[in-house]
Amino acid sequence: NDRYEIDPALTRITRLPRQSRWDTLARLALRSDLYAATASIVERIARSTAAADAADARIDAWEQRNAGAVARARGTLAEILSLDEPTLASMSVLLRVMRNLAA
């Protein structure tokens, strides 16, 4: 969560408008999909690293093997999380970035 700023992303999703039923459903879907993408990343790390290693070492190893994708993702995530106001569009892009890391 800390490495990919999941909690700040969830906070921004929570700040999205809830003016209609569809806004509320979109927020719920984004939140659920972010949890699922995070779980997929964790699963990918777990499958591709040595179980005997400490968690931080496993994450470091996975990030080193995927340095390009991780750097691109971190840049995009930082840009999105620096926006003054979250939008459905920016949070959708954030989610796509997380899914791409899991792929």
Side-chain angles (χ1 to χ4, degrees), residues 30 33-34 37 73 76-77 80 89-103:
L30 284 170
D33 289 349
L34 182 55
T76 303
L77 294 173
I80 291 169
S90 65
M91 293 297 99
S92 294
V93 171
L94 182 141
L95 185 57
R96 171 52 54 196
V97 167
M98 294 300 292
R99 281 191 202 121
N100 286 344
L101 273 180

Side-chain angles (χ1 to χ4, degrees), residues 33-102:
D33 289 349
L34 182 55
Y35 283 126
T38 303
S40 292
I41 292 169
V42 170
E43 182 180 352
R44 181 171 274 276
I45 292 168
R47 277 199 230 154
S48 66
T49 57
D53 292 343
D56 282 339
R58 294 176 80 175
I59 296 168
D60 290 342
W62 180 82
E63 286 181 340
Q64 287 173 4
R65 283 195 304 276
N66 297 282
V70 169
R72 284 188 301 278
R74 282 203 170 122
T76 303
L77 294 173
E79 185 177 351
I80 291 169
L81 293 175
S82 73
L83 297 172
D84 289 334
E85 286 298 319
T87 63
L88 183 58
S90 65
M91 293 297 99
S92 294
V93 171
L94 182 141
L95 185 57
R96 171 52 54 196
V97 167
M98 294 300 292
R99 281 191 202 121
N100 286 344
L101 273 180

